[in-house]
Amino acid sequence: MFEELSRDVLDPLLGAVAYSVVGIVLMVLGYLVTDWLTPGKLGELIWTERNKNAAVLLTSNVLGVGLIVVGAIWASEGGVVRGVVSTFVYGVIGLGAMAIAFLILDLLTPGKLGDILTDDELQPAVWVNAAMHVALGGVIAMALS
């Protein structure tokens, strides 16, 4: 009876909690990476100054990380611990790829991308960067399958 309860209820519950914690940690790391890449304080830009460019970029980062976490959960085998560790590792790889892509795009385009992102007027360059973040999240998620 206890074995059945553990297999049917407790194991999935433990997995949901563990993956949620890893997802939250990765999203916080994504926030910190985005904050590091943009001039000024990201929290102030979004919540105080209501900067749409910064909000679009952070949203795309969260979606990209979410795709990676979902892909890692989907592909995980061998128990919760192994799945959670691989989810964290792939999440960190995804965040690194997003940061590198941001820096490369900044080098390839006119102006400073960080400055464009903090502009009050909605900038098309932000949407390009946002699409890149979500696409990278999808690529890494599919690489797991």
Side-chain angles (χ1 to χ4, degrees):
M1 165 93 171
F2 181 73
E3 243 179 72
E4 205 173 292
L5 177 66
S6 175
R7 184 184 70 241
D8 295 341
V9 177
L10 297 178
D11 290 349
L13 180 64
L14 174 64
V17 169
Y19 282 114
S20 295
V21 168
V22 168
I24 290 167
V25 167
L26 288 170
M27 288 183 199
V28 167
L29 288 174
Y31 176 90
L32 294 172
V33 167
T34 305
D35 191 28
W36 171 68
L37 290 169
T38 55
K41 286 290 187 186
L42 190 59
E44 286 181 29
L45 284 170
I46 295 172
W47 283 274
T48 304
E49 297 176 27
R50 303 174 62 105
N51 184 292
K52 293 176 182 77
N53 295 315
V56 167
L57 183 68
L58 182 59
T59 299
S60 69
N61 188 285
V62 169
L63 289 171
V65 169
L67 285 171
I68 294 166
V69 171
V70 168
I73 292 169
W74 185 266
S76 66
E77 295 178 10
V80 172
V81 173
R82 183 173 175 189
V84 167
V85 169
S86 69
T87 298
F88 182 77
V89 168
Y90 284 107
V92 170
I93 290 169
L95 289 172
M98 288 177 202
I100 290 168
F102 180 98
L103 295 171
I104 290 171
L105 187 62
D106 192 24
L107 289 173
L108 296 175
T109 55
K112 290 296 294 168
L113 193 51
D115 293 336
I116 292 169
L117 292 171
T118 58
D119 193 344
D120 290 335
E121 184 180 328
L122 195 55
Q123 297 291 328
V126 174
W127 291 97
V128 173
N129 200 303
M132 190 173 50
H133 279 213
V134 175
L136 279 169
V139 166
I140 293 167
M142 289 310 295
L144 298 167
S145 59

